[in-house]
Amino acid sequence: MKSIVIVGTGDYAEMAYQYLKRDNYNKVIAFSVEKKFKTVNKFCDLPVVDFEEITNFFPAQTHELLIAIGPNKVNTVRERLYLEAKDLGYDFVTYISPRANIWDLRMVGENSFIFDGCVIEPGAKIGVNTVLWSGTVVAHHSTIGDHCFLAPSVAVSGKITIKNNCFIGINATIRDHVTIEEHCIIGCGAVIKKNTIKNGVYSTKGTDLLRVDSIETQI
């Protein structure tokens, strides 16, 4: 088994490390981040090396990577680092939680991360470098593209296409047979019932403050 280096030092990288550690991926030995974003020399008690120097410290022949960068700029930062690492010859960790319900493990692309409680039904496909956070459901015959990020408890109905580099916010719901075009942002709690447009940003109105007397308000 090759040793593992996690690229990233944000929340996603930390959670990925915790999940890998819990599930006995004991070969995580370091983190890496681009030099201009490096603020610490250790993260989760492991060393942090400059991504620009990663081949000098951890060559591709003996190490594999998990690119664990969040959905910055509709996932294009994670996409760029994934493609750069691939050009350097690295293999990638593909993590599927044993607490997830996945119909066909072969339908999950490399460097993707499937958290606890996710459901991927028959005929569904997950692209490369894509994140499904806890509790997300991808129903039958739906396709999630490359470099996507689905936040907790997203509900994707049947025969949906989510194209590359999309972000779907927590508790968003997408109706069956809908296409989400590339580089879309779907905000938390949004309900999408028809096709979107490329680069579209969709949101739902937040809840307004009604009162400031919660102690006296009857529930």
Side-chain angles (χ1 to χ4, degrees):
M1 174 186 281
K2 292 183 177 182
S3 297
I4 298 169
V5 178
I6 297 175
V7 178
T9 54
D11 291 344
Y12 171 28
E14 182 180 357
M15 290 301 98
Y17 172 69
Q18 296 295 343
Y19 273 66
L20 293 172
K21 183 179 178 182
R22 180 196 69 183
D23 295 336
N24 297 317
Y25 286 73
N26 294 320
K27 293 292 186 176
V28 179
I29 61 169
F31 290 83
S32 181
V33 68
E34 291 180 289
K35 186 174 183 178
K36 64 182 178 180
F37 299 114
K38 185 179 176 184
T39 58
V40 295
N41 292 318
K42 296 194 77 175
F43 188 73
C44 296
D45 293 323
L46 294 174
V48 179
V49 303
D50 295 345
F51 183 75
E52 293 85 346
E53 302 293 329
I54 195 168
T55 55
N56 296 331
F57 291 96
F58 308 114
Q61 294 83 353
T62 52
H63 298 80
E64 59 184 348
L65 304 183
L66 173 68
I67 312 298
I69 304 293
N72 315 55
K73 298 183 182 296
V74 282
N75 306 290
T76 55
V77 177
R78 189 171 73 258
E79 176 188 14
R80 175 176 58 80
L81 293 173
Y82 165 75
L83 294 174
E84 288 180 12
K86 197 170 185 68
D87 286 343
L88 292 171
Y90 283 97
D91 294 324
F92 299 91
V93 174
T94 302
Y95 173 83
I96 300 173
S97 169
R99 295 165 175 81
N101 188 348
I102 313 300
W103 184 262
D104 188 347
L105 302 180
R106 299 170 300 175
M107 302 304 284
V108 177
E110 69 177 5
N111 200 69
S112 288
F113 206 98
I114 312 299
F115 280 84
D116 287 358
C118 290
V119 176
I120 303 176
E121 292 187 344
K125 180 180 179 181
I126 311 300
V128 303
N129 196 31
T130 283
V131 180
L132 271 61
W133 215 280
S134 303
T136 286
V137 175
V138 180
H140 62 94
H141 302 103
S142 287
T143 298
I144 312 299
D146 300 335
H147 323 298
C148 290
F149 192 109
L150 278 62
S153 299
V154 167
V156 176
S157 298
K159 297 185 178 180
I160 283 172
T161 299
I162 297 177
K163 295 188 178 180
N164 298 344
N165 295 89
C166 288
F167 171 80
I168 315 295
I170 186 170
N171 284 322
T173 299
I174 305 173
R175 183 179 175 174
D176 57 302
H177 298 273
V178 163
T179 295
I180 307 296
E181 293 291 345
E182 292 182 352
H183 296 93
C184 276
I185 295 175
I186 309 299
C188 63
V191 178
I192 304 298
K193 295 184 176 181
K194 59 183 180 180
N195 297 343
T196 68
I197 62 171
K198 185 177 180 180
N199 302 320
V201 178
Y202 298 80
S203 185
T204 185
K205 190 175 185 294
T207 301
D208 294 327
L209 175 66
L210 298 179
R211 305 169 68 112
V212 291
D213 56 351
S214 61
I215 298 298
E216 287 75 30
T217 300
Q218 183 155 358
I219 299 173

